[in-house]
């Protein structure tokens, strides 16, 4: 069965960096687009970024453009999100999701990122 | 890209039907039949309930149905059950080649 497991969340100071990982299993990872989505405490879902199956096509939300970098390693069945220049408003649960023709058909349980001094 | 507009809350009694609206623009909901709906229970992974406006993934109850008219999509839950109490979000593909989520709706079963 499809499994997505996020890791790498934690407490970081404003201006700091963090790298999230998502380990995928149960499907041919290299065939699928993948995405990161976040939910700030008490707020709604916000799409963050997506990457094509080969990694050649990448999009970001305006709120993270220039600060976050999405990448993948198809040999390791892994998705990553490098987050730099973190702000308090980046505090959220970050979800990894498989993207199948514009729908997010499988999600992980999420990893919490807290940006605070 | 602004979030799609959903009612903050909708409630109903067990067995009743409820409908959640999702209003976008001619740059997202109105132009593409790529609206999907997600159910969020606290502490659990979000779950895809409807895709491409009205299609149900395997394993999703037939009590869940979707539709669209113009710039507004809708999710209907028929025969409301206690387990349906959750947050629901719509999502649409946009002309910017990016997805946008709705503001979210809390469904309460009375």
């Amino acid at each position: 069965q499809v499994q997505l497991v996020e890791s790498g969340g934690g407490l970081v100071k404003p201006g700091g960096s963090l790298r999230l990982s998502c380990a995928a299993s149960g499907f041919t990872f290299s065939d699928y687009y993948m995405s990161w989505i976040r939910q700030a405490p008490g707020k709604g879902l916000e799409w963050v970024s997506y990457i094509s199956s080969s990694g050649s096509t990448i999009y970001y939300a305006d709120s993270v453009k220039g600060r976050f970098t999405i990448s993948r390693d198809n040999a390791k069945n892994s998705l990553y999100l490098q987050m730099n220049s973190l702000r308090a408003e980046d505090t959220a649960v970050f979800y990894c999701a498989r993207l199948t023709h514009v729908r997010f058909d499988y999600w992980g349980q999420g990893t919490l990122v807290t940006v605070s001094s | 890209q602004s979030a799609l507009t959903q009612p903050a809350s909708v409630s109903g009694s067990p067995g009743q039907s409820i409908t959640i609206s999702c209003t976008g623009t001619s740059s997202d909901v109105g132009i593409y039949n790529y609206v999907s709906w997600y159910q969020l229970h606290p502490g659990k992974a979000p779950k895809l309930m409807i895709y491409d406006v009205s299609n149900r993934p395997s394993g999703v109850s037939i009590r869940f149905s979707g539709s669209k008219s113009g710039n507004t999509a809708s999710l209907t839950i028929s025969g409301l059950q206690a387990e349906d109490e959750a947050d629901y979000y719509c999502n649409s593909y946009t002309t910017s080649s990016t997805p946008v989520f709705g503001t979210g709706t809390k469904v309460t079963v009375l």
Side-chain angles (χ1 to χ4, degrees):
Chain A
Q1 73 282 19
V2 173
Q3 274 202 309
L4 298 169
V5 181
E6 303 93 338
S7 61
L11 176 64
V12 61
K13 289 182 168 52
S17 298
L18 210 56
R19 189 194 196 207
L20 304 184
S21 298
C22 171
S25 60
F27 65 102
T28 305
F29 182 73
S30 58
D31 285 348
Y32 288 87
Y33 281 47
M34 297 295 295
S35 185
W36 289 99
I37 296 151
R38 68 183 178 182
Q39 185 174 30
K43 304 292 185 182
L45 294 176
E46 179 189 17
W47 169 76
V48 172
S49 178
Y50 75 74
I51 184 170
S52 63
S53 52
S54 67
S56 60
T57 299
I58 288 173
Y59 282 89
Y60 297 99
D62 288 344
S63 57
V64 306
K65 203 172 293 182
R67 301 187 299 122
F68 289 11
T69 302
I70 192 172
S71 62
R72 64 190 297 160
D73 185 335
N74 286 341
K76 294 183 177 180
N77 291 338
S78 293
L79 176 73
Y80 306 102
L81 187 68
Q82 177 67 42
M83 304 186 294
N84 298 331
S85 303
L86 282 162
R87 307 165 180 165
E89 54 265 35
D90 294 317
T91 294
V93 172
F94 282 75
Y95 297 100
C96 159
R98 192 177 83 170
L99 191 54
T100 297
H101 193 235
V102 306
R103 63 186 179 268
F104 304 104
D105 57 352
Y106 289 95
W107 300 56
Q109 298 248 10
T111 186
L112 177 62
V113 172
T114 303
V115 184
S116 174
S117 55
Chain B
Q1 188 73 41
S2 297
L4 309 176
T5 301
Q6 298 179 230
S9 63
V10 173
S11 62
S13 299
Q16 286 187 329
S17 293
I18 61 168
T19 297
I20 303 168
S21 61
C22 169
T23 301
T25 70
S26 57
S27 296
D28 39 63
V29 176
I31 195 171
Y32 296 114
N33 287 326
Y34 295 143
V35 176
S36 50
W37 290 88
Y38 302 88
Q39 179 189 62
L40 273 69
H41 279 120
K44 293 182 67 176
K47 180 181 179 182
L48 173 67
M49 305 302 286
I50 294 287
Y51 67 95
D52 294 351
V53 175
S54 60
N55 293 290
R56 263 188 319 275
S58 174
V60 171
S61 172
I62 60 172
R63 299 184 298 104
F64 290 84
S65 61
S67 62
K68 191 188 89 166
S69 177
N71 294 340
T72 298
S74 298
L75 173 71
T76 297
I77 309 175
S78 306
L80 199 61
Q81 298 180 1
E83 69 210 48
D84 301 330
E85 186 161 292
D87 293 330
Y88 292 83
Y89 290 84
C90 61
N91 180 276
S92 176
Y93 189 65
T94 77
T95 53
S96 300
S97 299
T98 59
V100 61
F101 280 99
T103 49
T105 298
K106 180 176 182 60
V107 168
T108 301
V109 181
L110 301 172

